[in-house]
Amino acid sequence: MQVLIKRDQLNHAVQHVLKAVSTRTTIPILTGIKMLVTDEDMTLTASNSDISIECSIPFEEDGEEIVNVMRPGSIVLPARYFGEIVKKLPEDTIEIDVKENFLIQIRSGSSEFQLNGLDPEEFPRLPQLEEEKVFSIPADILKTIIRQTVFAVATTETRPILTGVRWNLHNGSLSLVATDSHRLANREANVETSEDLSFENIVIPGKSLTELNKILEDSDQLVDIVITDNQILIKYDKVLFYSRLLDGTYPDTSRIIPQSFKTEMVLNSRMFLQAIERASLLAGESKNNVVKLTSRPGEEVEITSNTQEIGKVTETITPASIQGDEIKISFNAKYMLEALRSIDSDEIKIGFTGSMNPFIIKPTEHDWITQLIVPVRTN
Amino acid sequence: MGKIKILDDRLANMIAAGEVVERPSSVVKELVENAIDASADKIEIVIEEGGLSSIKVSDNGHGIERDECRLAFERHATSKIQKERDLFHIQTLGFRGEALPSIAAVSRLELKSKTRESDSGTRILIEGGKLKEEQEIGMPDGTEVIVRDLFYNTPARLKYMKTIHTEVGHVSDLINRLALSHPDIAFILKHNDKILLKTMGDGSLLHVIAAIYGTSTAKMMVPLENDSIDFTLKGYVARPEITRANRTYVTTIVNGRYIRNYPLIQAVIRGYHTLLPINRYPVSVLHLDMDPVLMDVNVHPSKLEIRFSKEQELLELVEGTVRRALEKQTLIPEPSKQSAAGRTSIKTEKPVQTDLELTRKTRPESASFNFQVKGTKDRPTPKEIETFQKWVQPEPETETTGMIKEDSQSNEWNADFKNPVPDQHPENGEEQTENKMDQAGMAGENSPDRLPVLDPLAQLHGTYILAQHEDGLYIIDQHAAQERIYYEYFLNRLKQDTIESQNLLVPIHLEVTAAESQVIQENLDLLSQVGVHLEPFGSNAYVVRALPRWIPEGEEEAVVREMIQMLVENKKINVVQLREEAAISMSCKAAIKANRYLTRPEMEALLDKLRESSNPFTCPHGRPITIHFSSYEIQKMFKRVM
Ligand SMILES: Nc1ncnc2c1ncn2[C@@H]1O[C@H](COP(=O)(O)OP(=O)(O)O)[C@@H](O)[C@H]1O
Ligand SMILES: [Mg+2]
Ligand SMILES: [Zn+2]
């Protein structure tokens, strides 16, 4: 294999596939990036336990030549070094030449590198997916709905299914749910699909979605999504992004979200967020950053936090509106901050059903997003 | 045949003086040692109230002749030493000839003794050192000494006695050691009519171990045996899952005598290497035999401490023998020892059907797997492993900088890369032969020091691999497993690195204490010999200009400080130990963490490589890698078998 390639395009593609490279793994070849050059195109591929990313580099873009193939072929490059090298090569054009025994020569201007590669035949093949269940959604919306849910997934593997975001699709409406059992994020969105397409219990690892979001840009370009029994494939621009799906049945969350409330209040998002941020300043090292919210009808809402060795903080905030019973409830400030940051709305509505029950946070403007938090029991 | 001679004063003074009678156990010690010296093969010790009210030691030894009974109570009367030279050839336990008179001075002592040659025995009674009675009696062959009311005439000493419990503890420790030293002597120890120890005297050390530490511990003992020109070593070491909180369970016996020698104990512990958890110590009993010329037993009057000439040779023999004995074992801890204990009393040689070792040739596809693995070869080649390990060498979390800028650095890395040194790796060599064996379909490859070929079932909490084999369920800690694999790799590599120094781009500034500074100043040469180049930098501060290459990135200062600490404490630098620590730290960083999902092929690859490691049972920190539930235990838990 021998090619001349423009550094910026190569770097762009390498940075994409690097997201799927295993840094720590038990299978040596997965720490590499596979480069395949045919007479038609050039692709880079990387795989880890959750995802595989394939990124193609066109031979020509806007009339400019990007890749010049002297000799087609393939090689597995050591990702950790290759990524650094490409970033720092001096000239616009890079020559990659694969010699005997997978020895790779990389030249650019006056610098020349020799790297040991691995046999591309050993690299795992990407799955061939049946493209039966396909729908489309603009990249920016996909990016947003992922951001609004993925933070709520469980980060420990004790209940593996909870480390994923559950996707359901019915009547063109996509519903995403994530929960670590202490809080829950729910987001609905309309997608472009054939009328009869529906699916349930598709659970995508949170980690995969976080990586996907690093690749997606805020554009309205349509993303095609293919769902199979154990894989999801996202086709975006020149990227094919594969993720495994989690095994198992996602818990039924439909009845967890309360529909009627004993106390309801409307607050200015930014003021409330800042008040919670200040209240959690005194949490110190402790993980359980507990904040207490107290309100009586017609009065200001009071937020307090009390850390024994450090001190006490009291914040008051005037609600835009408040109705129902008085409430005194404690919750983890971190959950509240993450929920509030995910809602892009000037005003939020909080609905309580008692100090021991989960409460919800929603934007006032629409119903697409619901954040739910389970309170902390204090004595 | 008069056996007892009086030691001349000069000789007496050569012997380190010391108080013989400190507490009941010291009395017991002297009396039992006398019995052993008298070639007894049955010794009974009966104590009352921790020995303060009465100590009775009876033996079936050669006895004392009538006219010598009284002589035995004169200071420095001994039958055991003839000439000055003898002190360095001492084989018997007592040799000062001062025990009996000292004991008799602080108690009411009754001695009965009969030799085989005479028809009757002698009984004498001494109180506070004065002879009260002497008579002829009928009795079996042997000697019986009863010491009553110890310290009755020295109230000051009596005051120092601890609780009865403590005194009994001392006596029982003592008899345990003597029993371990003399498996051919039947010991019985009773306290207030309760039997504390009973050994058979059948010559089996393992039976003594069972009598003292219990049969379940005895079952976990691994035998060992080895010798060199000067030393013979024999004994048992416990598998590393049996550990204790202190070193006192490491018993060393030299020429039949229990001794405490710190370097020797350390050698045993080093033999366990990384198998022991931190701050845990093994159970072991080692018998060493050597020409008495090679030891000086008189370092300490209590005769427990000893010094060896040719110490280094001895320590290496001990460490190496212990290590090899353990390496031969399947060192997988099994759960529920208790249920397992009652099941087989002694492992008998049952016929074992050997079977084909069916290693993975193709990886089964799994629904949750991300991609299909292509290829006929399931194991990475040594070169692949080598290259891979270069790729994943731990680096600081921050982005690498200066990859190209620093030409020297990249060249060096390139050089490394091109020289994958596979042939110098013993384990790689093994790996290849083993591949061949697999291909040839060799039977019975399940040697006890290996893991069987395991079939992963699932992952538990993203942290443990559950795997099965015919003989049950295995739980493998994924981090510990890969840590072990990397540890062996890095250690090998570090060993190959010469003490070549690398100049530092940014010198390390080191502040030290005045005392440390002094030590550094004195040892600048030694430091540069191990590749550390320091320059003074004002008072109590140094600049590190160059370091050996094996020190892992980010740990430079810590390693240098550890070297200085070693200099302060031991006046030398143990590079081997430091490299080992470096390998441990590098392997820990490179290994997959807990709470991380693994695909089935990843699990398989890990299990296969673990199987090839030289010790698949404990991680370099000494924690277990693998836990095994045997099929039998599982059946038992479900009450499918009784
Ligand atoms: N149980 C015994 N059987 C035979 N001889 C004994 C026994 N106990 C003591 N003796 C004799 O008494 C002597 C004095 O004993 P001791 O005061 O303990 O001195 P040592 O043991 O140092 O010779 C011994 O040398 C030995 O000859
Ligand atoms: Mg004696
Ligand atoms: Zn460890």
Side-chain angles (χ1 to χ4, degrees), chain A residues 277-291 305-311 313 332-334:
Chain A
E277 272 172 345
R278 282 189 297 270
S280 59
L281 284 179
L282 293 196
E285 299 293 289
S286 87
K287 273 196 198 147
N288 267 347
N289 184 352
V290 175
V291 163
S305 174
N306 200 339
T307 306
Q308 213 148 49
E309 326 81 66
I310 304 168
V313 50
N332 187 326
K334 174 178 175 264

Side-chain angles (χ1 to χ4, degrees), chain B residues 35 53 62 85 100 120 127 143 154 156 189 318 323 394 489 517 520:
Chain B
S53 78
H62 58 53
R85 217 200 73 237
L100 284 183
S120 61
E127 266 190 41
T143 306
T154 52
L189 169 64
V318 169
R323 183 172 302 192
Y489 165 76
S517 173
I520 295 173

Side-chain angles (χ1 to χ4, degrees), chain A residues 142-161:
Chain A
L142 179 59
K143 199 173 161 80
T144 303
I145 65 175
I146 290 173
R147 177 176 60 81
Q148 288 172 332
T149 49
V150 76
F151 66 89
V153 300
T155 52
T156 63
E157 292 281 341
T158 38
R159 268 186 89 183
I161 195 84

Side-chain angles (χ1 to χ4, degrees), chain A residues 208-254:
Chain A
S208 306
L209 294 172
T210 305
E211 292 307 327
L212 176 63
N213 257 19
K214 291 179 190 160
I215 292 174
L216 294 175
E217 281 149 29
D218 277 317
S219 81
D220 55 8
Q221 194 183 337
L222 275 188
V223 177
D224 291 330
I225 299 175
V226 181
I227 305 263
T228 69
D229 284 349
N230 51 49
Q231 291 279 325
I232 178 170
L233 165 61
I234 291 117
K235 300 181 183 176
Y236 168 66
D237 199 19
K238 300 168 196 87
V239 178
L240 297 183
F241 185 104
Y242 296 81
S243 170
R244 73 179 172 112
L245 299 179
L246 294 176
D247 255 351
T249 308
Y250 202 82
D252 178 14
T253 55
S254 59

Side-chain angles (χ1 to χ4, degrees), chain B residues 206 209 213-214 216-224 235-244 249-251 268-269 271-273 275-277 281-286 322-323 325-327 329-331:
Chain B
L206 194 57
I209 292 172
Y213 299 123
S216 56
T217 301
K219 272 191 207 144
M220 302 297 272
M221 300 302 284
V222 178
L224 54 81
Y236 290 89
V237 288
R239 294 160 56 102
E241 46 286 29
I242 304 273
T243 61
R244 296 289 189 274
Y249 296 85
V250 177
T251 305
V268 175
I269 293 169
Y272 278 78
H273 198 52
L275 296 172
L276 293 169
Y281 300 92
V283 179
S284 66
V285 184
L286 298 183
V322 170
R323 183 172 302 192
L326 292 170
E327 275 168 4
Q329 298 299 306
T330 307
L331 298 171

Side-chain angles (χ1 to χ4, degrees), chain A residues 24 26 114-116 157, chain B residues 391 413-414 417 595-596 602:
Chain A
R24 295 190 177 92
T26 65
Q114 293 207 344
L115 289 179
N116 282 340
E157 292 281 341
Chain B
W391 290 8
W413 160 78
N414 260 325
F417 221 86
N595 197 33
R596 147 90 152 73
E602 280 179 307

Side-chain angles (χ1 to χ4, degrees), chain B residues 11-27:
Chain B
L11 190 50
N13 291 337
M14 267 184 69
I15 302 170
E19 271 201 83
V20 182
V21 193
E22 215 180 322
R23 55 181 356 132
S25 67
S26 25
V27 171

Side-chain angles (χ1 to χ4, degrees), chain B residues 42-62:
Chain B
K42 263 201 194 100
I43 302 174
E44 187 181 72
I45 305 100
V46 181
I47 59 174
E48 308 287 338
E49 308 301 325
L52 287 167
S53 78
S54 151
I55 297 169
K56 183 177 90 183
V57 175
S58 26
D59 67 59
N60 61 354
H62 58 53

